[in-house]
Amino acid sequence: MGDIEKTSQSEITPMFSSRILACLKAPGGENRDTLEITEGALKNVITGKTYPYKNNVPSLFLPEKGQGEIVTTKVKSFYEENPFPSYEGLEEFGELVNKGFHNPFTSELLKAIGYNKTVLECGCGTGQLSHFLQLNNNHVLGIDMSPASLKLAIEHKIRNGLTRSSFAQMNIFDLAVKDNTFDVVISHGVLHHTFDAKRAFSHIVKKVKPGGIIMIGLYNYYARVPTWVRSKLVGLLGQNIDYVVRNRITDTKKADIWIKDQYYNPHETWHSIDEVLKWFNQNNVEFVNCSPAILGSSGENVNSLFEQSDPGSTYQRMISQISWLGTIAREGALFDVIGRKAE
């Protein structure tokens, strides 16, 4: 009976909403491409080429060749073995939503995005954030290079009948997404695991509509130092050396995957606010806000993550990042910078 119900549910839950399908193109293709859903595949209407699903995961993935191939292969293999973030058992959508609203960051992010938006999450992992953000009638596309992670995202989607969150395997350096199509593009904790974070940013920013929002979360150059120190001790002292494991995670499997992601990831880079501001300038993106806020800036008094603020001075940004040693450092040192693409 369970298999019949599962099959029935998958048949009535489309893999892509029409709004998201209209944003897709063939890998390496052009904006004029039109893709359609066929039996177990996506098809390019213009060329007739099909892109079969792999283990029920839509795949528009072109492997990295040349520069970055070694790093990309290592990171992909890591997340195939350790899909991140892990669900807590057979987690239902209501539980995920409840946790999302009780998390200050995700609840504020949904509030800032608002209603009826198209959202692209680059590096969605197991899709938990993408699923949460499809509330408010938003349509979300989560992309990742790990089929194992995406399989969990799609299983959750189908089991809960979620029609506005969609997923596909893609290469962040060759996104099968049309340019200038999404209202909001998010990459939270991902670019620092690519072989070239700056170059990855230049690719994802192309997918934001003029006037749209881009938000990137990166490991901070200053605040990540304590994590590096703990990585030298975790094998000796055990998982409870980690604040998140001690205080926030109750599921053993989820704790194990968190530890592996934080302390045993094969590749990561650290970044500063000023570095991201340079990326913004080079890609015609205006600074909007930073989370956590820059000390002494107007960002400390905004009512929304996407409300315009000032980036402060070089000194204020440096002091802010040093202060993060006492705050976000215990949770992985992830900071987000929000910008608006020029009209």
Side-chain angles (χ1 to χ4, degrees), residues 15-16 40-42 51-61 80 124-125 142-155 158 166-170:
M15 197 65 81
F16 298 94
L42 287 166
Y51 303 90
Y53 298 171
K54 298 179 179 178
N55 199 18
N56 204 38
V57 174
S59 181
L60 296 169
F61 181 80
E80 283 294 277
C124 66
I143 69 99
D144 204 278
M145 66 176 174
S146 166
S149 296
L150 291 167
K151 186 173 184 291
L152 293 176
I154 291 169
E155 286 175 353
I158 292 173
S166 307
F167 300 93
Q169 183 193 22
M170 295 187 195

Side-chain angles (χ1 to χ4, degrees), residues 12 152 193 267 287:
I12 64 174
L152 293 176
H193 292 310
H267 178 79
F287 173 85

Side-chain angles (χ1 to χ4, degrees), residues 220-222 271-278 287 290 292-294 311 316-318 320-321 324 335 337:
N220 184 252
Y221 186 82
Y222 299 84
H271 304 273
S272 67
I273 301 172
D274 286 71
E275 182 182 2
V276 176
L277 292 179
K278 290 179 181 177
F287 173 85
C290 183
I294 297 167
Q316 287 172 313
R317 293 192 293 272
M318 182 182 69
S320 297
Q321 291 169 104
W324 293 347
F335 74 108
V337 187

Side-chain angles (χ1 to χ4, degrees), residues 58-105:
S59 181
L60 296 169
F61 181 80
L62 280 182
E64 196 67 42
K65 297 296 182 184
Q67 183 187 15
E69 182 177 0
I70 294 175
V71 169
T72 301
T73 301
K74 284 182 178 179
V75 173
K76 183 174 181 290
S77 297
F78 176 83
Y79 284 112
E80 283 294 277
E81 295 178 13
N82 306 285
F84 184 86
S86 175
Y87 286 90
E88 295 188 10
L90 194 64
E91 191 172 358
E92 298 304 326
F93 183 57
E95 298 173 80
L96 187 150
V97 169
N98 185 55
K99 288 196 301 185
F101 277 121
H102 280 85
N103 180 303
F105 174 78

Side-chain angles (χ1 to χ4, degrees), residues 222-240:
Y222 299 84
R224 189 67 176 169
V225 172
T227 301
W228 177 82
V229 173
R230 288 194 296 271
S231 73
K232 308 304 176 185
L233 301 173
V234 66
L236 178 66
L237 301 178
Q239 293 186 355
N240 278 341

Side-chain angles (χ1 to χ4, degrees), residues 58-200:
S59 181
L60 296 169
F61 181 80
L62 280 182
E64 196 67 42
K65 297 296 182 184
Q67 183 187 15
E69 182 177 0
I70 294 175
V71 169
T72 301
T73 301
K74 284 182 178 179
V75 173
K76 183 174 181 290
S77 297
F78 176 83
Y79 284 112
E80 283 294 277
E81 295 178 13
N82 306 285
F84 184 86
S86 175
Y87 286 90
E88 295 188 10
L90 194 64
E91 191 172 358
E92 298 304 326
F93 183 57
E95 298 173 80
L96 187 150
V97 169
N98 185 55
K99 288 196 301 185
F101 277 121
H102 280 85
N103 180 303
F105 174 78
T106 53
S107 61
E108 284 299 313
L109 178 56
L110 179 64
K111 177 184 172 183
I113 291 172
Y115 295 80
N116 305 313
K117 300 297 194 304
T118 52
V119 181
L120 172 63
E121 186 186 3
C122 296
C124 66
T126 58
Q128 295 179 38
L129 181 60
S130 290
H131 285 314
F132 180 71
L133 295 180
Q134 60 93 54
L135 294 171
N136 295 352
N137 203 41
N138 296 315
H139 288 249
V140 184
L141 173 63
I143 69 99
D144 204 278
M145 66 176 174
S146 166
S149 296
L150 291 167
K151 186 173 184 291
L152 293 176
I154 291 169
E155 286 175 353
H156 185 92
K157 165 190 171 69
I158 292 173
R159 188 171 65 250
N160 291 279
L162 306 178
T163 59
R164 295 190 305 275
S165 52
S166 307
F167 300 93
Q169 183 193 22
M170 295 187 195
N171 183 342
I172 204 167
F173 293 99
D174 189 357
L175 291 168
V177 173
K178 296 175 182 177
D179 293 346
N180 304 313
T181 49
F182 280 87
D183 297 306
V184 180
V185 171
I186 297 167
S187 188
H188 183 66
V190 176
L191 301 189
H192 50 234
H193 292 310
T194 68
F195 71 90
D196 188 336
K198 176 183 175 181
R199 182 176 159 192

